[in-house]
Amino acid sequence: MIKLENVTKTFAGDIHAVSDLSLEIGEGEFVAFVGPSGCGKTTALRMIAGLETVTSGRITVANRDVTQADPGERDIAMVFQNYALYPHMTVRNNLAFGMKINRFARSEIAQRVDEVAKLIGLEEYLDRRPSQLSGGQRQRVAMGRALIRNPNAFLMDEPLSNLDAKLRVHMRVEVRRLQQEVGTTTVYVTHDQVEAMTMGDRIAVMRGGVLQQYGRPDDIYDRPANAFVAGFMGAPPMNLFRAGLTQDGTTPVLVVGEQTMKFDGRLSTDFNIANGAGKQVIVGLRPEDIVVDAAAGTLKDLRVSLVESLGAERIAHVGFGDAIKFDRTETGSNDIPDDMMLQIRLSRSTPVPELGSNVAIQFDPANLHLFDVESGKSLRRD
Amino acid sequence: MADIAELPSKRARRIGGTIAVRLAIIVLCVLWITPTLGLFVSSFRTEFAIQTSGWWTTLLDPFNRAQWTLDNYARVITGEGMGQAFVNTIAVTVPAVVFPILVAAYAAYAFSWIEFRFREFFFALFIMMIVVPLQLAFIPLLRAWTALDLSNSLIAIWITHAGFAMPIALLILRNFIAALPAELIEAAKMENANHFQIFWRVVFPLALPAIAAFGVFHFLWIWNDFLVALVFLGGNPDVQVVTMNLQKLLAARGSDWHLLAAAAFVTMIVPVSVFLALQRYFVRGMLAGAVKG
Ligand SMILES: Nc1ncnc2c1ncn2[C@@H]1O[C@H](COP(=O)(O)OP(=O)(O)OP(=O)(O)O)[C@@H](O)[C@H]1O
Ligand SMILES: [Mg+2]
């Protein structure tokens, strides 16, 4: 179990790498820290490891306050991005290093090395040096070095980023399998949201040193806490665009350009928009939640400007064209892309819309997301 | 078009350059090797042979056993004290090499990987000592050793040599050790290794090329040193080193070429073997100093 309470890290020169980070990671849980480059993931991980001092806040590992403890006292194993294998030692000695340092009996070390070598499938390679291994094998040794000690937690900083795409997918499963086998609490840092989605029991999305959302992958995907998380998780990302909020009698409606979206009054039951009339909101729609319909739909007169084929599916880029003008100078959340282009995921069975043609789109109101235009926060009722 | 037209002249220039470089190397080799070879041959010739004919004449008739002898070596080593001097030199050199390197390597580790106050300042202070000329320290050091009743002792010269070597050793080793990947040291820290364990199990093996390079360099310097030995051991004939013995021979028997040649070779044998065995490190050490220093 790992608990962070208001953990903050400020580097010299007033760089707030991590601000007021609080979260709890349950025993045996696999948590992925994800976010764009420079958002403080590594810094947060290194503070848990003890390799970086904490400016303020508290870190608890296995019910012990380790905020001031040395890295070695925390009984945590770390897997580094470039593996950090000792180049002058064989695989065997790399695996055994920690146990030797901590004066385990020789017979016990030998036994554990054999067990772990079997677990990571490197029994044949124990007498090789790291330089004589492939990238994937080195990665396994790095994993093995963490596994051998049975520590309180594993910390991994982008451990797969040096592997090619195919091997990465394979090792993703492998890392998760090993972790589940030993049931050790794990913090896994990645900037790849797919990795986070597929591997994490829970995901912590960070941005600019601030935790944006912490939750199960499905929750984060289906109920993003703000427009940033909505746009960051998912590929292609969620479509975000502005819409006006007005009242049609007593029912709130969304206005995009000249067009009005009604949703039979669902807006007020699903979203906190009671005092919103006359304001703007950010509308979010996942590419796969949109259906293209040549004739009628919720929004009409959208122009098809590009259709990409990805084999299993197609991505249609559909623009509002000149029909709808947006005031870009308006203040507010800058999470909305400048070009008002919607990406729509089409299954192979749907007919390909013709380039340049005008189409209408439709979606289930249950899949609609609304965010506050200033704070970016989700307006969905809990 | 222009490219093609230029090609022949470019090529000619390149070949010309290569030839010039090779020629220079050959000239240098001949200039250095001829006297050394002459000395080497002479050291095995009899006194009479040396006085009557040039050393190259033996090469024309190398199987004439009468002109070869080992007497020169026997005399120099036993009669002229070269054997004792050889042992003394080893006694001076080995600790004077190992001691500063070990201390400098520890210091380099601390200056690279341990955070402490005024780290950069102290490092700069140590490195600045490089500009202090040896000679400046002689008088105060001599007085210090006398005051400590250590003058003309091995301990005095070990510490003296170590002190003179320290700044440059620290500079070279820190440049190397600080450039090791931080993750390796952090990984060891995560495994609960203390600084000693990190140093001996991770840093030292990885810094071995730099340590060996500097070690070879420093070893040769101390072995061939005359000045420091003369100043700090000159008063005690029991601890004369080879360079001092050679100088004494030169003064007393300046015309006995057969003895001088043999003595010179006794002096040279260790540096030459060390150099040949470890030239890989030697070249790298000079580069480390040149590029990074
Ligand atoms: N030692 C340091 N000194 C000063 N600033 C630092 C230091 N380490 C990190 N930072 C800054 O702290 C912020 C967070 O860095 P961090 O390495 O944690 O980002 P990250 O999320 O891991 O990014 P990436 O995905 O690129 O690895 C960045 O703005 C970075 O420049
Ligand atoms: Mg990082």
Side-chain angles (χ1 to χ4, degrees), chain A residues 25 41 43 64 106 133 147 149 169 186 262 276 318 367:
Chain A
I25 299 165
K41 310 178 291 283
T43 308
R64 198 179 131 230
R106 202 175 284 192
L133 298 178
L147 288 164
R149 275 170 44 211
V169 173
T186 302
K262 286 203 169 131
V318 171
N367 294 327

Side-chain angles (χ1 to χ4, degrees), chain B residues 259-272:
Chain B
L259 295 184
L260 290 178
F265 262 89
V266 172
T267 309
M268 274 167 62
I269 180 85
V270 170
V272 168

Side-chain angles (χ1 to χ4, degrees), chain A residues 75-80 85 94-95 112 116 120 139-156 182 184, chain B residues 191:
Chain A
D75 196 16
I76 288 175
M78 183 140 171
V79 179
F80 292 83
L85 302 179
N94 264 285
L95 291 175
R112 281 296 289 156
V116 168
I120 56 176
Q139 217 291 320
R140 278 166 209 265
V141 179
M143 277 297 294
R145 207 168 55 177
L147 288 164
I148 198 163
R149 275 170 44 211
N150 223 335
N152 285 329
F154 295 147
L155 306 180
M156 309 188 189
V182 294
T184 305
Chain B
E191 311 248 33

